[in-house]
Short mmCIF file of all heavy atoms in Angstrom, two decimals:
data_model
loop_
_atom_site.label_atom_id
_atom_site.label_comp_id
_atom_site.label_asym_id
_atom_site.label_seq_id
_atom_site.Cartn_x
_atom_site.Cartn_y
_atom_site.Cartn_z
N LEU A 369 48.46 -24.67 72.44
CA LEU A 369 49.73 -25.38 72.65
C LEU A 369 50.88 -24.39 72.89
O LEU A 369 51.73 -24.60 73.77
CB LEU A 369 50.05 -26.26 71.44
CG LEU A 369 49.17 -27.49 71.21
CD1 LEU A 369 49.58 -28.20 69.93
CD2 LEU A 369 49.28 -28.45 72.40
N VAL A 370 50.90 -23.32 72.09
CA VAL A 370 51.96 -22.31 72.25
C VAL A 370 51.86 -21.65 73.63
O VAL A 370 52.87 -21.44 74.31
CB VAL A 370 51.89 -21.26 71.13
CG1 VAL A 370 52.91 -20.15 71.37
CG2 VAL A 370 52.14 -21.91 69.77
N ALA A 371 50.62 -21.31 74.03
CA ALA A 371 50.43 -20.69 75.34
C ALA A 371 50.84 -21.63 76.47
O ALA A 371 51.39 -21.19 77.49
CB ALA A 371 48.97 -20.26 75.51
N GLU A 372 50.59 -22.93 76.28
CA GLU A 372 50.94 -23.91 77.30
C GLU A 372 52.46 -24.06 77.42
O GLU A 372 53.00 -24.15 78.53
CB GLU A 372 50.31 -25.26 76.95
CG GLU A 372 50.56 -26.38 77.95
CD GLU A 372 49.77 -26.20 79.23
OE1 GLU A 372 48.78 -25.42 79.25
OE2 GLU A 372 50.14 -26.84 80.23
N SER A 373 53.16 -24.09 76.28
CA SER A 373 54.60 -24.33 76.29
C SER A 373 55.40 -23.05 76.53
O SER A 373 56.54 -23.11 77.01
CB SER A 373 55.05 -24.97 74.98
OG SER A 373 54.73 -24.14 73.88
N HIS A 374 54.85 -21.89 76.19
CA HIS A 374 55.56 -20.63 76.40
C HIS A 374 54.74 -19.72 77.31
O HIS A 374 54.88 -19.75 78.51
CB HIS A 374 55.86 -19.98 75.06
CG HIS A 374 56.81 -20.75 74.20
ND1 HIS A 374 56.43 -21.81 73.40
CD2 HIS A 374 58.15 -20.62 74.02
CE1 HIS A 374 57.48 -22.31 72.77
NE2 HIS A 374 58.55 -21.62 73.13
N SER A 375 53.86 -18.91 76.70
CA SER A 375 52.97 -18.05 77.49
C SER A 375 51.87 -17.53 76.58
O SER A 375 51.97 -17.61 75.35
CB SER A 375 53.74 -16.88 78.11
OG SER A 375 54.16 -15.97 77.09
N VAL A 376 50.85 -16.97 77.20
CA VAL A 376 49.75 -16.38 76.43
C VAL A 376 50.26 -15.22 75.58
O VAL A 376 49.90 -15.07 74.41
CB VAL A 376 48.62 -15.92 77.37
CG1 VAL A 376 47.52 -15.21 76.57
CG2 VAL A 376 48.03 -17.10 78.12
N SER A 377 51.14 -14.40 76.15
CA SER A 377 51.65 -13.24 75.42
C SER A 377 52.44 -13.66 74.18
O SER A 377 52.31 -13.06 73.11
CB SER A 377 52.56 -12.40 76.33
OG SER A 377 51.81 -11.81 77.36
N VAL A 378 53.24 -14.72 74.31
CA VAL A 378 54.02 -15.20 73.16
C VAL A 378 53.09 -15.68 72.06
O VAL A 378 53.30 -15.39 70.87
CB VAL A 378 54.99 -16.32 73.61
CG1 VAL A 378 55.60 -17.01 72.39
CG2 VAL A 378 56.09 -15.74 74.49
N ALA A 379 52.04 -16.43 72.43
CA ALA A 379 51.09 -16.92 71.42
C ALA A 379 50.43 -15.76 70.69
O ALA A 379 50.27 -15.79 69.46
CB ALA A 379 50.04 -17.80 72.09
N LEU A 380 50.04 -14.72 71.43
CA LEU A 380 49.39 -13.56 70.80
C LEU A 380 50.35 -12.82 69.88
O LEU A 380 49.96 -12.36 68.79
CB LEU A 380 48.86 -12.62 71.88
CG LEU A 380 47.69 -13.15 72.72
CD1 LEU A 380 47.37 -12.20 73.87
CD2 LEU A 380 46.45 -13.36 71.86
N LEU A 381 51.62 -12.72 70.27
CA LEU A 381 52.60 -12.00 69.45
C LEU A 381 52.92 -12.76 68.17
O LEU A 381 53.11 -12.16 67.11
CB LEU A 381 53.87 -11.75 70.26
CG LEU A 381 53.75 -10.70 71.37
CD1 LEU A 381 55.01 -10.66 72.22
CD2 LEU A 381 53.45 -9.32 70.80
N ILE A 382 52.96 -14.10 68.24
CA ILE A 382 53.21 -14.89 67.03
C ILE A 382 52.04 -14.74 66.06
O ILE A 382 52.24 -14.57 64.84
CB ILE A 382 53.44 -16.37 67.39
CG1 ILE A 382 54.75 -16.52 68.17
CG2 ILE A 382 53.49 -17.22 66.12
CD1 ILE A 382 54.99 -17.92 68.69
N SER A 383 50.82 -14.80 66.56
CA SER A 383 49.66 -14.63 65.67
C SER A 383 49.63 -13.21 65.11
O SER A 383 49.19 -12.99 63.97
CB SER A 383 48.36 -14.94 66.42
OG SER A 383 48.18 -14.09 67.53
N CYS A 384 50.12 -12.25 65.89
CA CYS A 384 50.23 -10.87 65.41
C CYS A 384 51.17 -10.80 64.20
O CYS A 384 50.86 -10.15 63.19
CB CYS A 384 50.74 -9.98 66.55
SG CYS A 384 51.20 -8.32 66.06
N ALA A 385 52.30 -11.49 64.29
CA ALA A 385 53.26 -11.51 63.17
C ALA A 385 52.66 -12.18 61.95
O ALA A 385 52.87 -11.74 60.81
CB ALA A 385 54.54 -12.22 63.60
N LEU A 386 51.89 -13.25 62.16
CA LEU A 386 51.27 -13.96 61.04
C LEU A 386 50.22 -13.09 60.34
O LEU A 386 50.12 -13.10 59.11
CB LEU A 386 50.63 -15.25 61.55
CG LEU A 386 50.15 -16.25 60.50
CD1 LEU A 386 51.29 -16.67 59.58
CD2 LEU A 386 49.55 -17.48 61.16
N LEU A 387 49.47 -12.32 61.10
CA LEU A 387 48.50 -11.40 60.50
C LEU A 387 49.20 -10.33 59.68
O LEU A 387 48.72 -9.94 58.61
CB LEU A 387 47.65 -10.75 61.60
CG LEU A 387 46.54 -11.62 62.20
CD1 LEU A 387 46.07 -11.06 63.53
CD2 LEU A 387 45.37 -11.75 61.23
N THR A 388 50.35 -9.85 60.16
CA THR A 388 51.11 -8.86 59.40
C THR A 388 51.58 -9.45 58.08
O THR A 388 51.54 -8.78 57.03
CB THR A 388 52.31 -8.37 60.23
OG1 THR A 388 51.84 -7.87 61.49
CG2 THR A 388 53.06 -7.27 59.49
N LEU A 389 52.00 -10.71 58.11
CA LEU A 389 52.38 -11.40 56.88
C LEU A 389 51.20 -11.49 55.92
O LEU A 389 51.36 -11.39 54.70
CB LEU A 389 52.90 -12.80 57.20
CG LEU A 389 53.33 -13.68 56.02
CD1 LEU A 389 54.50 -13.05 55.27
CD2 LEU A 389 53.68 -15.08 56.50
N GLY A 390 49.99 -11.66 56.47
CA GLY A 390 48.79 -11.75 55.63
C GLY A 390 48.52 -10.52 54.81
O GLY A 390 47.85 -10.58 53.78
N VAL A 391 49.03 -9.37 55.26
CA VAL A 391 48.88 -8.13 54.48
C VAL A 391 49.60 -8.27 53.15
O VAL A 391 49.08 -7.90 52.09
CB VAL A 391 49.42 -6.93 55.28
CG1 VAL A 391 49.35 -5.66 54.42
CG2 VAL A 391 48.62 -6.74 56.57
N PHE A 392 50.81 -8.82 53.20
CA PHE A 392 51.65 -8.89 51.99
C PHE A 392 51.24 -10.04 51.08
O PHE A 392 51.50 -9.99 49.87
CB PHE A 392 53.11 -9.02 52.40
CG PHE A 392 53.60 -7.88 53.22
CD1 PHE A 392 53.69 -7.99 54.61
CD2 PHE A 392 53.94 -6.66 52.64
CE1 PHE A 392 54.13 -6.92 55.38
CE2 PHE A 392 54.37 -5.60 53.40
CZ PHE A 392 54.46 -5.72 54.78
N ILE A 393 50.58 -11.06 51.64
CA ILE A 393 50.12 -12.17 50.80
C ILE A 393 49.07 -11.70 49.80
O ILE A 393 48.86 -12.31 48.75
CB ILE A 393 49.57 -13.30 51.70
CG1 ILE A 393 50.74 -13.98 52.42
CG2 ILE A 393 48.78 -14.33 50.91
CD1 ILE A 393 50.35 -15.07 53.36
N GLY A 394 48.43 -10.57 50.10
CA GLY A 394 47.44 -10.02 49.18
C GLY A 394 48.01 -9.68 47.82
O GLY A 394 47.27 -9.52 46.84
N ARG A 395 49.33 -9.59 47.73
CA ARG A 395 49.94 -9.31 46.43
C ARG A 395 49.68 -10.45 45.45
O ARG A 395 49.60 -10.24 44.24
CB ARG A 395 51.45 -9.09 46.61
CG ARG A 395 52.20 -8.75 45.34
CD ARG A 395 53.63 -8.38 45.63
NE ARG A 395 54.34 -8.01 44.41
CZ ARG A 395 55.60 -7.61 44.38
NH1 ARG A 395 56.29 -7.51 45.51
NH2 ARG A 395 56.18 -7.30 43.24
N TRP A 396 49.60 -11.68 45.98
CA TRP A 396 49.35 -12.85 45.13
C TRP A 396 47.92 -13.36 45.25
O TRP A 396 47.40 -13.97 44.33
CB TRP A 396 50.32 -13.98 45.51
CG TRP A 396 51.75 -13.61 45.30
CD1 TRP A 396 52.46 -13.67 44.13
CD2 TRP A 396 52.65 -13.08 46.29
NE1 TRP A 396 53.75 -13.23 44.33
CE2 TRP A 396 53.90 -12.86 45.65
CE3 TRP A 396 52.54 -12.77 47.65
CZ2 TRP A 396 55.02 -12.36 46.32
CZ3 TRP A 396 53.64 -12.27 48.32
CH2 TRP A 396 54.86 -12.06 47.65
N PHE A 397 47.28 -13.12 46.39
CA PHE A 397 45.93 -13.60 46.62
C PHE A 397 45.01 -12.43 46.97
O PHE A 397 44.28 -12.47 47.96
CB PHE A 397 45.92 -14.65 47.74
CG PHE A 397 46.66 -15.92 47.41
CD1 PHE A 397 47.97 -16.08 47.79
CD2 PHE A 397 46.03 -16.92 46.69
CE1 PHE A 397 48.67 -17.24 47.47
CE2 PHE A 397 46.71 -18.09 46.37
CZ PHE A 397 48.03 -18.24 46.76
N GLY A 398 45.06 -11.40 46.15
CA GLY A 398 44.24 -10.23 46.40
C GLY A 398 42.77 -10.50 46.13
O GLY A 398 42.40 -11.18 45.17
N VAL A 399 41.90 -9.98 46.99
CA VAL A 399 40.45 -10.13 46.84
C VAL A 399 39.96 -9.03 45.91
O VAL A 399 40.09 -7.84 46.21
CB VAL A 399 39.74 -10.06 48.21
CG1 VAL A 399 38.23 -10.12 48.02
CG2 VAL A 399 40.22 -11.19 49.11
N GLY A 400 39.38 -9.42 44.78
CA GLY A 400 38.92 -8.45 43.79
C GLY A 400 37.56 -7.88 44.12
O GLY A 400 36.95 -8.17 45.14
N GLU A 401 37.08 -7.06 43.20
CA GLU A 401 35.75 -6.45 43.36
C GLU A 401 34.67 -7.46 43.00
O GLU A 401 34.92 -8.48 42.36
CB GLU A 401 35.64 -5.20 42.50
CG GLU A 401 36.69 -4.16 42.80
CD GLU A 401 36.70 -3.74 44.26
OE1 GLU A 401 35.64 -3.36 44.78
OE2 GLU A 401 37.78 -3.81 44.89
N PHE A 402 33.45 -7.16 43.39
CA PHE A 402 32.34 -8.05 43.09
C PHE A 402 31.11 -7.20 42.80
O PHE A 402 31.11 -6.00 42.98
CB PHE A 402 32.06 -8.99 44.27
CG PHE A 402 31.83 -8.27 45.58
CD1 PHE A 402 30.61 -7.73 45.91
CD2 PHE A 402 32.89 -8.13 46.47
CE1 PHE A 402 30.42 -7.07 47.10
CE2 PHE A 402 32.71 -7.47 47.67
CZ PHE A 402 31.47 -6.94 47.98
N GLY A 403 30.08 -7.88 42.33
CA GLY A 403 28.81 -7.21 42.11
C GLY A 403 28.56 -6.79 40.67
O GLY A 403 27.44 -6.41 40.33
N ALA A 404 29.58 -6.85 39.81
CA ALA A 404 29.39 -6.41 38.43
C ALA A 404 28.73 -7.48 37.58
O ALA A 404 28.13 -7.18 36.55
CB ALA A 404 30.74 -6.02 37.82
N LEU A 405 28.83 -8.75 37.98
CA LEU A 405 28.28 -9.84 37.18
C LEU A 405 26.81 -10.06 37.50
O LEU A 405 26.41 -10.03 38.66
CB LEU A 405 29.06 -11.14 37.45
CG LEU A 405 30.56 -11.12 37.11
CD1 LEU A 405 31.18 -12.45 37.47
CD2 LEU A 405 30.77 -10.79 35.65
N ASP A 406 26.03 -10.29 36.45
CA ASP A 406 24.61 -10.63 36.62
C ASP A 406 24.52 -12.15 36.68
O ASP A 406 24.64 -12.83 35.66
CB ASP A 406 23.78 -10.08 35.46
CG ASP A 406 22.29 -10.25 35.69
OD1 ASP A 406 21.90 -11.02 36.59
OD2 ASP A 406 21.50 -9.62 34.95
N LEU A 407 24.29 -12.68 37.86
CA LEU A 407 24.31 -14.13 38.07
C LEU A 407 22.92 -14.74 38.09
O LEU A 407 22.75 -15.88 38.51
CB LEU A 407 25.05 -14.46 39.37
CG LEU A 407 26.52 -14.01 39.41
CD1 LEU A 407 27.14 -14.30 40.76
CD2 LEU A 407 27.32 -14.69 38.31
N ASP A 408 21.92 -14.00 37.62
CA ASP A 408 20.58 -14.58 37.48
C ASP A 408 20.60 -15.61 36.36
O ASP A 408 21.38 -15.51 35.41
CB ASP A 408 19.55 -13.50 37.16
CG ASP A 408 19.27 -12.60 38.35
OD1 ASP A 408 19.48 -13.07 39.49
OD2 ASP A 408 18.87 -11.45 38.15
N PRO A 409 19.74 -16.64 36.45
CA PRO A 409 19.71 -17.66 35.40
C PRO A 409 19.42 -17.06 34.03
O PRO A 409 18.59 -16.15 33.89
CB PRO A 409 18.58 -18.60 35.84
CG PRO A 409 18.44 -18.38 37.30
CD PRO A 409 18.78 -16.93 37.53
N LEU A 410 20.10 -17.56 33.01
CA LEU A 410 19.90 -17.06 31.65
C LEU A 410 18.55 -17.50 31.09
O LEU A 410 17.86 -16.72 30.42
CB LEU A 410 21.05 -17.55 30.76
CG LEU A 410 21.09 -17.02 29.33
CD1 LEU A 410 21.14 -15.50 29.32
CD2 LEU A 410 22.30 -17.60 28.59
N ASN A 411 18.20 -18.75 31.31
CA ASN A 411 16.89 -19.29 30.94
C ASN A 411 16.57 -19.11 29.45
O ASN A 411 15.42 -18.82 29.08
CB ASN A 411 15.77 -18.64 31.78
CG ASN A 411 15.81 -19.09 33.23
OD1 ASN A 411 16.25 -20.19 33.53
ND2 ASN A 411 15.34 -18.24 34.12
N THR A 412 17.55 -19.30 28.59
CA THR A 412 17.29 -19.22 27.15
C THR A 412 17.35 -20.59 26.48
O THR A 412 17.04 -20.70 25.29
CB THR A 412 18.31 -18.29 26.47
OG1 THR A 412 19.63 -18.78 26.72
CG2 THR A 412 18.19 -16.87 27.01
N PHE A 413 17.74 -21.61 27.24
CA PHE A 413 17.89 -22.94 26.66
C PHE A 413 16.53 -23.61 26.52
O PHE A 413 15.70 -23.62 27.45
CB PHE A 413 18.80 -23.80 27.53
CG PHE A 413 18.94 -25.22 27.06
CD1 PHE A 413 19.72 -25.52 25.95
CD2 PHE A 413 18.29 -26.26 27.71
CE1 PHE A 413 19.86 -26.83 25.51
CE2 PHE A 413 18.41 -27.56 27.28
CZ PHE A 413 19.20 -27.85 26.17
N THR A 414 16.28 -24.16 25.35
CA THR A 414 15.06 -24.93 25.10
C THR A 414 15.45 -26.39 24.86
O THR A 414 16.31 -26.67 24.02
CB THR A 414 14.32 -24.39 23.86
OG1 THR A 414 14.01 -23.00 24.08
CG2 THR A 414 13.03 -25.17 23.63
N GLU A 415 14.86 -27.26 25.62
CA GLU A 415 15.20 -28.68 25.48
C GLU A 415 14.83 -29.16 24.08
O GLU A 415 13.69 -28.99 23.64
CB GLU A 415 14.46 -29.50 26.54
CG GLU A 415 14.83 -30.97 26.52
CD GLU A 415 14.17 -31.75 27.63
OE1 GLU A 415 13.62 -31.13 28.56
OE2 GLU A 415 14.20 -33.00 27.57
N PRO A 416 15.76 -29.75 23.35
CA PRO A 416 15.47 -30.19 21.98
C PRO A 416 14.55 -31.40 21.96
O PRO A 416 14.48 -32.19 22.90
CB PRO A 416 16.86 -30.53 21.44
CG PRO A 416 17.65 -30.91 22.64
CD PRO A 416 17.15 -30.04 23.76
N GLU A 417 13.81 -31.51 20.85
CA GLU A 417 12.98 -32.71 20.65
C GLU A 417 13.87 -33.82 20.09
O GLU A 417 14.52 -33.66 19.07
CB GLU A 417 11.84 -32.41 19.68
CG GLU A 417 10.84 -31.40 20.23
CD GLU A 417 9.66 -31.21 19.27
OE1 GLU A 417 9.57 -31.99 18.29
OE2 GLU A 417 8.86 -30.29 19.51
N LEU A 418 13.88 -34.94 20.81
CA LEU A 418 14.77 -36.03 20.45
C LEU A 418 14.03 -37.09 19.64
O LEU A 418 12.84 -37.31 19.84
CB LEU A 418 15.36 -36.67 21.71
CG LEU A 418 16.09 -35.71 22.66
CD1 LEU A 418 16.58 -36.46 23.89
CD2 LEU A 418 17.24 -35.03 21.96
N ARG A 419 14.74 -37.73 18.73
CA ARG A 419 14.16 -38.80 17.91
C ARG A 419 14.43 -40.18 18.50
O ARG A 419 13.97 -41.17 17.96
CB ARG A 419 14.69 -38.72 16.48
CG ARG A 419 14.22 -37.47 15.73
CD ARG A 419 14.78 -37.46 14.32
NE ARG A 419 14.30 -36.31 13.57
CZ ARG A 419 13.16 -36.30 12.88
NH1 ARG A 419 12.38 -37.36 12.85
NH2 ARG A 419 12.79 -35.21 12.21
N LEU A 420 15.22 -40.22 19.57
CA LEU A 420 15.45 -41.47 20.26
C LEU A 420 14.65 -41.50 21.55
O LEU A 420 14.43 -40.46 22.18
CB LEU A 420 16.94 -41.65 20.59
CG LEU A 420 17.89 -41.94 19.42
CD1 LEU A 420 19.30 -42.13 19.94
CD2 LEU A 420 17.44 -43.18 18.66
N ASP A 421 14.24 -42.70 21.94
CA ASP A 421 13.52 -42.87 23.19
C ASP A 421 14.53 -42.84 24.34
O ASP A 421 14.83 -43.85 24.97
CB ASP A 421 12.77 -44.21 23.17
CG ASP A 421 11.88 -44.37 24.40
OD1 ASP A 421 11.61 -43.36 25.07
OD2 ASP A 421 11.48 -45.51 24.69
N LEU A 422 15.05 -41.64 24.59
CA LEU A 422 16.14 -41.47 25.54
C LEU A 422 15.58 -41.37 26.95
O LEU A 422 14.58 -40.69 27.19
CB LEU A 422 16.92 -40.19 25.21
CG LEU A 422 18.30 -40.05 25.84
CD1 LEU A 422 19.25 -41.08 25.24
CD2 LEU A 422 18.83 -38.64 25.59
N ARG A 423 16.23 -42.05 27.88
CA ARG A 423 15.83 -41.97 29.27
C ARG A 423 16.64 -40.89 29.98
O ARG A 423 17.74 -40.55 29.55
CB ARG A 423 16.04 -43.33 29.95
CG ARG A 423 15.28 -44.44 29.26
CD ARG A 423 15.57 -45.79 29.89
NE ARG A 423 14.92 -46.86 29.13
CZ ARG A 423 14.99 -48.13 29.47
NH1 ARG A 423 15.68 -48.52 30.53
NH2 ARG A 423 14.37 -49.05 28.73
N ALA A 424 16.09 -40.39 31.09
CA ALA A 424 16.77 -39.30 31.80
C ALA A 424 18.16 -39.72 32.26
O ALA A 424 19.08 -38.91 32.31
CB ALA A 424 15.92 -38.86 32.99
N ARG A 425 18.32 -41.01 32.60
CA ARG A 425 19.61 -41.47 33.09
C ARG A 425 20.52 -41.97 31.97
O ARG A 425 21.63 -42.44 32.23
CB ARG A 425 19.40 -42.60 34.11
CG ARG A 425 18.70 -43.82 33.51
CD ARG A 425 18.53 -44.93 34.54
NE ARG A 425 17.78 -46.05 34.00
CZ ARG A 425 18.30 -47.00 33.23
NH1 ARG A 425 19.58 -46.94 32.90
NH2 ARG A 425 17.56 -47.99 32.79
N SER A 426 20.07 -41.89 30.74
CA SER A 426 20.87 -42.39 29.63
C SER A 426 22.12 -41.54 29.45
O SER A 426 22.12 -40.32 29.59
CB SER A 426 20.06 -42.38 28.33
OG SER A 426 18.98 -43.29 28.42
N GLY A 427 23.21 -42.19 29.06
CA GLY A 427 24.45 -41.47 28.83
C GLY A 427 25.59 -42.47 28.65
O GLY A 427 25.36 -43.68 28.59
N PRO A 428 26.80 -41.99 28.53
CA PRO A 428 27.18 -40.57 28.57
C PRO A 428 26.79 -39.83 27.30
O PRO A 428 26.70 -40.41 26.22
CB PRO A 428 28.70 -40.62 28.73
CG PRO A 428 29.10 -41.92 28.15
CD PRO A 428 27.98 -42.88 28.42
N ILE A 429 26.55 -38.54 27.47
CA ILE A 429 26.16 -37.66 26.38
C ILE A 429 27.40 -36.88 25.90
O ILE A 429 28.17 -36.36 26.72
CB ILE A 429 25.07 -36.67 26.82
CG1 ILE A 429 23.86 -37.43 27.38
CG2 ILE A 429 24.65 -35.77 25.67
CD1 ILE A 429 23.17 -38.35 26.40
N VAL A 430 27.58 -36.84 24.61
CA VAL A 430 28.68 -36.10 24.00
C VAL A 430 28.11 -34.90 23.25
O VAL A 430 27.18 -35.06 22.45
CB VAL A 430 29.50 -36.98 23.04
CG1 VAL A 430 30.68 -36.20 22.46
CG2 VAL A 430 29.99 -38.24 23.75
#
Side-chain angles (χ1 to χ4, degrees):
L369 290 177
V370 175
E372 182 73 18
S373 59
H374 294 83
S375 69
V376 175
S377 293
V378 169
L380 292 173
L381 289 173
I382 294 174
S383 60
C384 170
L386 190 58
L387 282 162
T388 304
L389 179 63
V391 176
F392 300 100
I393 289 178
R395 182 173 182 179
W396 298 277
F397 295 95
V399 176
E401 302 304 307
F402 54 82
L405 299 179
D406 187 346
L407 299 177
D408 288 335
L410 185 57
N411 290 331
T412 58
F413 176 75
T414 302
E415 184 176 348
E417 295 184 8
L418 304 178
R419 293 180 178 272
L420 289 182
D421 186 17
L422 197 68
R423 302 176 185 181
R425 61 179 176 80
S426 295
I429 304 298
V430 182

